Amino acid sequence: MTTSIALSLDQLTEKAIHRNLRLRLGAYRHVCDSYYLDIDESPTASPDLGTALAHLLEQWRSQVEQLRETGGTAYLPYDFSDQCTAWLRVSSTDGRDAEVQAGWSLVEGYRIVPSDYAATSPEITDFDPIVNARIECSLNDLARQIAINAESLTPSRP
């Protein structure tokens, strides 16, 4: 049985690069910027915001699927700021069920390449959870919801 997961990262506007993304995790909402996605110049980066977000979400899905083997913890970034970053911590003890918790790290956004953040995610050792910003779900449902979210994004920049 599939359960709907209250998790999404969406574009709010096509014109600006500030306050134009929204994370939804259960009842928690967070508005953030696409600035660091916009200035990502790595070979795997996309100049189109919709495609860049979809690529970020595909990285999320890949990390969640890796947890289905033996469990563990994955950090999925959603807000890149000059002084800090915001992450979803996905923890699974059994490779089936997970807790998804939003929180902050003092790892600066400029140190992370959004189109290939996996190299930086092991540096998240100071995760500070946000109170009441968490859900519990199965890893299968979480991976499915992330894929649906990625598929819903459309190209938006020239």
Side-chain angles (χ1 to χ4, degrees), residues 80-103:
F80 305 87
S81 299
D82 292 340
Q83 304 293 319
C84 59
T85 45
W87 300 76
L88 297 176
R89 179 180 61 195
V90 180
S91 303
S92 176
T93 57
D94 60 8
R96 290 187 311 269
D97 297 315
E99 176 187 72
V100 183
Q101 172 77 56

Side-chain angles (χ1 to χ4, degrees), residues 8-16 19-23 34 48-51 53 149 153-157:
S8 64
L9 181 60
D10 298 305
Q11 183 178 348
L12 295 176
T13 179
E14 295 179 11
K15 298 181 176 142
R19 300 193 53 78
N20 63 334
L21 301 177
R22 179 187 57 214
L23 174 83
S34 66
D48 171 78
L49 179 56
T51 305
L53 280 174
N149 187 180
L153 297 167
T154 57
S156 56
R157 283 191 212 136

Side-chain angles (χ1 to χ4, degrees), residues 9 17-23 28-37 53 56 60 75-88 102-112 114 117 124 130:
L9 181 60
I17 59 172
H18 298 292
R19 300 193 53 78
N20 63 334
L21 301 177
R22 179 187 57 214
L23 174 83
Y28 176 73
R29 304 290 185 272
H30 178 79
V31 175
C32 50
D33 299 344
S34 66
Y35 178 74
Y36 281 94
L37 293 168
L53 280 174
L56 181 69
W60 285 15
Y75 290 95
L76 317 176
Y78 64 90
D79 189 354
F80 305 87
S81 299
D82 292 340
Q83 304 293 319
C84 59
T85 45
W87 300 76
L88 297 176
W104 293 96
S105 168
L106 292 177
V107 172
E108 301 92 344
Y110 63 80
R111 292 181 39 206
I112 301 169
Y117 71 82
I124 308 306
I130 298 168

